[in-house]
Amino acid sequence: MNRVYTLVVCEKPDAARRIAHALGSAKETKPLGLSVFDVTRDGSRYVITSAIGHLYGISDVTASRSVYPVLDLEWAPLPKNARAARAIKVISELAQKASSFVHACDYDQEGEVIGHSILEYACGGAYGKSRRAKFSTLTDEEIQESFLSLAAPSEGLAEAGRSRHMLDYLYGINLSRALSRSFKVTKGGYHNLSIGRVQGPTLAFAVEREFEIRLHVPDPYWTVTASLAKGEKFSAQYAKPRIDTVSEASAVLEGSSGKDAVVANFQSRKVVLRPPTPFNLGDLQREAYRVLRVSPGYTLAIAEKLYLQALISYPRTSSQKLPPSIGYSKIISGLSRIGSYGGLASMLLSRSRLIPNEGKMSDPAHPAIYPTGVPPRSKLGGLEFKVYDLIVKRFLATFGDSATTQRADVSVDIGGYEFVADGVEVLYDGWMVLYRPYVNLERHSLPELKKGDRLDNLGVEMSEKFTQPPRRYNQASLLAKMEQEKIGTKATRADIIATLLKRNYVASSREGIEVTDLGLAVIESMKEYVPSIISTDLTRGMEEQLEKIELGKGDSASAIEPAVDRLVESLSSFMEREIEIGGKIVEAAAFDKNQAATIGSCPVCKKGQLRMIKSWKTKKRFVGCSNYAEGGCKASAPLPQKGGIRPTGKACPACSWPIVGVVFARRSKQWRICVNFSCPAKKR
DNA sequence: GCAAGGTC
C-alpha cells in the first residue's frame, strides 16, 4: 500500500463518510471513536477524517468570571469538550505522517475558520500549504469534481472569520459580565445575565413591539354586513370598512335593511400568480411553521439530518437561486423514482425547457435548498418525511407554470348605500398542482353577476369592533424579522431566540412572545451605556470591516482595536453606576419571579397572595401564601407535579380558592382545577 | 453560570 497520503479534514463525521464513499471504496477505522477513512483513488491515497464542528475557540486567559474587561484573548482547544479533545489528538497524529492536506470543511466563513484552526494548530501550521475542496452539496459528483479542482485556501476569509469571533467575544463576554456583576454588587449571588451583538437587537425588536402593544388604545368602530344571494349566497361589506360612529352605522343599517339590492357594478379580471421561489433556510423555517407548526429550531435540525443523508442540499443557505449546474432534469428524474413523486415529476420532465422562478437573495457559497433526487436509504420518520415532502414539492413547484386566477369585484346598491364583495377563483392551477397541499390561496366564489341584477337581501347586520394592537411576534415571525434585519446567521437565529427565553428576557405565551420586566431593564441599561449593542448598526459596521479583510483590503487589528477602545470607555461608565443599574435589574427580576409564581389571592388570610413554590427539601412544587413568614398564613395546597401551571385569575365558586389551568403539552387542552385540596365541590 | 458560531 502507498505509505504517502493526503490528509483530508472535513467539518463533521458524516461529511467525512460521504466524501470517503464518493472517492472510492473506503476502509474505516475508529481511533478514539473518531471515524477515519482510508481510500485510494487514481493512484493517490487519501486519509479522510473530520472535526466535530469547531474544535478550537477563543478562550479567556483570566481565571475569574466576575472580572472585566477581558481583553487578552487567544485561540485554544475548546475547554470541557472531551470529544473535541479526542478529535484533536487523532488528527494531530494523522498529520504527522501526511504529505499534503486538503481542507474539506463546509465552504463558508465558519467552515474556513474550523479548517484553519485544525490545520494551523493540530497539523503544524499546514493551513497555508493546504488545498481547498469546494462543494455545496455532498453528492458524489460534486465531491469528485471538487477534488479535481482543488484550490488555494482563502486566507482573507479565515482572517475575517477569526475577527468576527474576537469581536463577538469582546462585546458579549464583557457586557454580559458587566450585567451580572451589577446584579451581584446590588443583591449578592449570581444571576445569569447576557447580551451580545445578536441577542441585543433581537430583544430590542421584541421590546419595540411590546411598547406598541402596551401603548395601544383600542378604538371602537362599526361594520355593516349584508347577506345577499343570487342562486348562491354571499356576504357583502358596507363600502366603508371602518365606520367611526354608531349613529352612522345605524343609519346604514336602517337604510339598507329590507331594501332592494341591485348590482351597481361588476368587474372581473385575470390575475397571474408566479410560481414560488426556491427555499433558503429562513423561507423553509417560515413555511414549515406555517404549514406544519414546527418551530424554526426544529426545522433546522431536521433539514440538517436530511442533508447528512444526502437527500437535500446544504440547508444553511440564504440563496433563493438554483443554478442550472445542479442538473434540474437529473434531480427530477431521480425524484420520479421516489415515493409518490412520479406523477408530478413526469409533468415537468415532458417539457422542453426547465426554468426555476428564482428569488432575489443569493449566497456566496451555496444554492437554494433542493432535493438531490437520491432515494432515502430507509423510511423517513413522520416529521422528517413532512419536511422532506415540503422541500421536494417546493422545488418542483418553482419549475411550474404561472397559475391564473379570476378575481371578481362587485358593488351592490342597497337602499342608496354601497356594499362590496369580491371573489377569487382558480382558472389554471399551474404550479399549484405541484405544491399541494401547501398552497396558500384563499378561494371564495361569487355567483355569476352583471350590472342591474337584482339580488335577494337576506338581512343586514351591524357589529361593533375595536382596533387591535399589532400582533406579538411568534418564534417564526421574530426569526423573519432577524432575517430581514440581517442579524445572526441562518444557522443560529433560532438558538438566539431560545437564549432570550432561557434568560427570562422574554416569555412565550399563547399570544406570542412577551417581554418581561427583566428584558426591559436590560434593554434600558444598554440603551444608556452601550446603545450600539441593541442596534443592528454594530453588525452592519462589523460586516463592512470583515468584507474588507476577506478581500485583503484590511487587517484584523484595524477592525478590532478601535472597537476595543470604544467598548472600554462604555464599560467604565457602566461600572461607575453599576449599583444604580443593578438596583433596577434586581427589582425587575424580582417582579417577574413574583408575577410568574402568583396564582391568585389567598382565601384564608385574605391578605396574602397564593404562589407556586418549589420545596427545597422535596423539590416538589406546591401552593403557599405570601403571608407565610413569621407566624403568618399557613394556607397551602399540593399541585400536580407534571405539566405547566397557568394562573386563570378565576376563583372557585364553591370555596373561593384560585382555579389554575394545567397544560401537559404545547397546544394541548388546558385542564382547569381548583387548587384547594379539600374543596367541597370535589368528590373524593 | 458570560457571545456567536459550528456540530452531536
Side-chain angles (χ1 to χ4, degrees):
Chain A
M1 189 197 263
N2 195 347
R3 294 193 160 273
V4 178
Y5 62 77
T6 296
L7 182 63
V8 179
V9 179
C10 308
E11 185 157 324
K12 50 204 166 236
D14 288 281
R17 168 167 283 110
R18 294 222 39 90
I19 288 174
H21 285 165
L23 295 182
S25 127
K27 200 183 98 205
E28 182 179 1
T29 51
K30 283 204 153 200
L32 299 181
L34 187 76
S35 286
V36 176
F37 301 90
D38 202 318
V39 59
T40 298
R41 182 181 177 81
D42 300 334
S44 303
R45 183 176 166 209
Y46 296 95
V47 171
I48 302 148
T49 190
S50 75
I52 312 151
H54 280 291
L55 300 183
Y56 297 82
I58 293 170
S59 85
D60 169 8
V61 292
T62 59
S64 166
R65 280 198 171 187
S66 53
V67 172
Y68 78 89
V70 179
L71 303 173
D72 298 322
L73 307 175
E74 58 184 32
W75 286 81
L78 291 184
K80 292 177 202 160
N81 189 331
R83 287 189 67 189
R86 284 198 295 271
I88 289 172
K89 191 153 188 280
V90 172
I91 296 171
S92 312
E93 278 167 22
L94 291 171
Q96 287 178 9
K97 292 181 200 154
S99 60
S100 60
F101 297 87
V102 168
H103 180 336
C105 296
D106 292 349
Y107 187 47
D108 53 25
Q109 181 173 286
E110 227 42 50
E112 195 65 30
V113 174
I114 291 170
H116 173 274
S117 302
I118 292 168
L119 290 161
E120 283 299 282
Y121 308 138
C123 304
Y127 177 73
K129 63 179 178 190
S130 70
R131 287 168 303 150
R132 189 70 160 101
K134 300 177 179 178
F135 46 80
S136 65
T137 51
L138 291 172
T139 54
D140 290 355
E141 288 84 352
E142 277 220 38
I143 293 165
Q144 287 157 7
E145 218 165 277
S146 75
F147 272 74
L148 289 175
S149 47
L150 293 169
S154 322
E155 298 194 31
L157 188 59
E159 196 181 345
R162 285 160 64 83
S163 308
R164 202 278 309 150
H165 277 256
M166 286 283 180
L167 287 166
D168 279 342
Y169 194 98
L170 286 164
Y171 276 98
I173 299 299
N174 287 307
L175 291 171
S176 297
R177 284 187 183 181
L179 285 169
S180 298
R181 213 187 100 108
S182 78
F183 188 99
K184 191 172 181 178
V185 297
T186 307
K187 190 170 181 254
Y190 183 84
H191 194 99
N192 197 0
L193 297 169
S194 67
I195 198 75
R197 179 179 55 82
V198 184
Q199 283 183 41
T202 307
L203 180 56
F205 299 148
V207 167
E208 192 188 356
R209 181 63 53 88
E210 189 70 42
F211 275 109
E212 288 169 8
I213 292 167
R214 291 193 191 176
L215 294 175
H216 176 80
V217 181
D219 231 350
Y221 67 94
W222 287 262
T223 59
V224 180
T225 309
S227 290
L228 304 171
K230 185 172 195 293
E232 191 182 327
K233 269 207 245 177
F234 68 99
S235 60
Q237 280 268 334
Y238 178 54
K240 196 168 162 188
R242 265 183 62 170
I243 307 168
D244 296 328
T245 64
V246 66
S247 53
E248 190 185 344
S250 309
V252 176
L253 180 71
E254 261 173 53
S256 57
S257 291
K259 299 286 161 50
D260 286 350
V262 180
V263 173
N265 205 348
F266 181 81
Q267 281 185 331
S268 78
R269 62 199 153 90
K270 286 180 184 169
V271 176
V272 173
L273 298 179
R274 303 264 292 149
T277 53
F279 276 143
N280 63 24
L281 178 60
D283 297 333
L284 170 63
Q285 285 172 311
R286 268 195 304 284
E287 195 73 338
Y289 186 83
R290 181 180 72 81
V291 303
L292 305 172
R293 290 279 142 188
V294 180
S295 78
Y298 200 36
T299 298
L300 173 54
I302 291 170
E304 172 78 8
K305 226 172 154 184
L306 295 171
Y307 162 67
L308 291 174
Q309 293 173 61
L311 300 179
I312 65 169
S313 63
Y314 189 71
R316 291 171 185 140
T317 174
S318 45
S319 170
Q320 294 170 323
K321 297 184 190 301
L322 292 171
S325 60
I326 66 169
Y328 306 145
S329 55
K330 208 178 121 237
I331 293 169
I332 297 170
S333 34
L335 290 172
S336 71
R337 290 185 285 274
I338 299 173
S340 57
Y341 301 128
L344 299 181
S346 64
M347 289 170 64
L348 291 176
L349 288 171
S350 59
R351 312 212 161 168
S352 55
R353 291 210 310 166
L354 287 166
I355 302 169
N357 181 36
E358 295 184 324
K360 285 192 180 129
M361 296 178 72
S362 60
D363 187 298
H366 305 286
I369 301 172
Y370 61 89
T372 55
V374 175
R377 290 198 185 151
S378 55
K379 195 166 181 275
L380 295 174
L383 217 40
E384 261 173 63
F385 172 76
K386 285 179 183 166
V387 172
Y388 178 71
D389 187 61
L390 180 60
I391 291 169
V392 169
K393 287 181 176 157
R394 178 66 161 232
F395 171 77
L396 295 174
T398 61
F399 291 96
D401 295 335
S402 289
T404 314
T405 58
Q406 177 101 350
R407 155 104 196 192
D409 287 285
V410 66
S411 144
V412 181
D413 180 284
I414 313 179
Y417 292 98
E418 187 192 1
F419 284 71
V420 294
D422 60 34
V424 175
E425 275 180 285
V426 176
L427 296 179
Y428 175 55
D429 275 347
W431 59 268
M432 294 188 205
V433 176
L434 301 161
Y435 200 47
R436 278 175 194 144
Y438 310 120
V439 180
N440 186 18
L441 179 78
E442 207 186 308
R443 311 162 188 225
H444 44 279
S445 62
L446 274 184
E448 280 289 315
L449 298 171
K450 60 180 190 300
K451 192 172 173 180
D453 278 349
R454 288 178 66 100
L455 309 172
D456 301 331
N457 182 349
L458 306 175
V460 185
E461 282 178 355
M462 71 181 256
S463 54
E464 185 180 12
K465 293 184 178 153
F466 292 90
T467 56
Q468 296 295 309
R471 279 188 166 229
R472 290 191 174 283
Y473 286 112
N474 55 41
Q475 292 197 33
S477 61
L478 185 55
L479 186 135
K481 174 74 175 169
M482 295 170 80
E483 194 178 40
Q484 185 193 328
E485 301 282 347
K486 297 191 166 57
I487 284 295
T489 74
K490 50 235 171 196
T492 56
R493 289 180 183 122
D495 290 341
I496 297 286
I497 296 172
T499 301
L500 297 179
L501 284 161
K502 200 166 87 187
R503 297 273 180 270
N504 286 322
Y505 291 171
V506 297
S508 197
S509 78
R510 199 173 289 254
E511 286 78 37
I513 289 172
E514 278 175 56
V515 180
T516 63
D517 270 42
L518 178 59
L520 286 174
V522 166
I523 284 287
E524 287 305 313
S525 70
M526 288 297 124
K527 197 181 269 174
E528 193 164 352
Y529 295 95
V530 204
S532 65
I533 200 72
I534 57 169
S535 149
T536 55
D537 297 350
L538 190 59
T539 295
R540 294 294 88 78
M542 192 186 79
E543 277 167 350
E544 251 174 58
Q545 304 256 25
L546 296 188
E547 198 176 327
K548 282 185 193 151
I549 296 172
E550 185 177 335
L551 298 172
K553 292 179 190 160
D555 63 6
S556 180
S558 65
I560 293 172
E561 278 163 16
V564 167
D565 292 345
R566 284 193 297 273
L567 181 63
V568 167
E569 215 170 292
S570 305
L571 286 168
S572 77
S573 56
F574 184 100
M575 200 185 267
E576 270 171 34
R577 291 175 62 193
E578 68 183 348
I579 295 189
E580 189 190 328
I581 300 164
K584 288 182 185 163
I585 288 174
V586 165
E587 198 182 318
F591 177 83
D592 289 334
K593 205 174 166 190
N594 211 19
Q595 186 92 334
T598 301
I599 279 168
S601 48
C602 176
V604 178
C605 69
K606 298 193 170 38
K607 283 183 210 149
Q609 293 286 319
L610 290 182
R611 294 191 197 152
M612 184 161 80
I613 300 163
K614 199 161 187 179
S615 159
W616 286 97
K617 253 193 223 165
T618 63
K619 303 281 178 211
K620 288 193 170 166
R621 62 187 184 189
F622 64 97
V623 173
C625 182
S626 59
N627 200 18
Y628 175 81
E630 290 151 38
C633 178
K634 296 277 185 291
S636 79
L639 276 176
Q641 296 301 309
K642 295 239 168 89
I645 303 290
R646 310 263 185 274
T648 63
K650 295 199 167 66
C652 174
C655 69
S656 73
W657 280 59
I659 289 185
V660 295
V662 185
V663 230
F664 292 98
R666 207 157 57 101
R667 289 191 303 276
S668 71
K669 187 186 151 129
Q670 192 181 76
W671 299 85
R672 299 201 153 198
I673 56 166
C674 169
V675 295
N676 183 9
F677 187 67
S678 33
C679 174
K682 285 184 187 166
K683 289 172 192 150
R684 291 176 189 281

